[in-house]
Amino acid sequence: MTSTYALWTRLAAKPGGKQLFSAAMCLRVPYFRTIVPSVKEIKPGRCEVTSPKWWGVYNHIGTYHAIAACNLAEIAMGMLAEATLPPTHRWLPKGMTVNYVAKAETSLRAVAELPSIPDFGDEGFELPVPVTITDTAGKPVVTATITIWVTRKA
């Protein structure tokens, strides 16, 4: 279990624990603060994160900015990776493919979910992590696949 996932398991069930975890995550990765994320669930193979629509994420037409949505997708993928990889392995983002399928006019919810958890051996491999971002009505507004490079720690 990674230290990130261990912290989540210690805090998530406590009153205010998810908020505390989300704040700690933003201290560790300060750029995440820009979208005011709130981690709702982390478990091996799945992560859910929400982000409010506030003036700091607006684009020129008053909707949720596309790159802010990418930031939300990256948080969901990263927390999924932290919960899924064994402590003997590490991950690095390698690429991201994004489709903007509808205007994002509300707060957003990102779900990163693997169809199955891979075997983690000695050889490095690419792991595509699908992320779906929906609006408050549950309508997909962004879909992304973030490919990570997984290797055994040296």
Side-chain angles (χ1 to χ4, degrees):
M1 180 181 302
T2 65
S3 60
T4 302
Y5 189 47
L7 181 62
W8 170 261
T9 58
R10 283 195 308 273
L11 293 177
K14 293 181 173 29
K18 291 179 182 179
Q19 293 87 348
L20 183 58
F21 178 88
S22 297
M25 177 188 68
C26 289
L27 285 173
R28 173 119 177 157
V29 186
Y31 184 71
F32 287 169
R33 285 186 298 215
T34 63
I35 64 164
V36 193
S38 180
V39 179
K40 302 298 183 186
E41 177 187 29
I42 302 175
K43 64 182 183 180
R46 189 172 197 284
C47 177
E48 178 182 339
V49 184
T50 61
S51 175
K53 184 181 173 209
W54 67 288
W55 68 267
V57 296
Y58 286 4
N59 60 19
H60 65 288
I61 60 172
T63 62
Y64 202 104
H65 194 281
I67 299 305
C70 289
N71 197 15
L72 181 61
E74 188 174 3
I75 293 168
M77 171 282 301
M79 294 299 102
L80 173 146
E82 288 294 308
T84 305
L85 270 65
T88 54
H89 286 70
R90 66 179 179 180
W91 61 273
L92 292 169
K94 190 169 182 180
M96 182 177 200
T97 303
V98 181
N99 295 299
Y100 306 107
V101 297
K103 283 184 187 176
E105 300 181 290
T106 68
S107 298
L108 299 179
R109 174 181 168 260
V111 175
E113 193 161 26
L114 294 174
S116 63
I117 296 176
D119 292 325
F120 297 97
D122 291 332
E123 298 299 317
F125 65 98
E126 289 185 359
L127 178 61
V129 179
V131 182
T132 301
I133 299 177
T134 56
D135 64 14
T136 55
K139 178 177 82 173
V141 295
V142 176
T143 58
T145 300
I146 304 173
T147 302
I148 59 174
W149 179 244
V150 177
T151 57
R152 183 173 286 281
K153 289 181 180 175

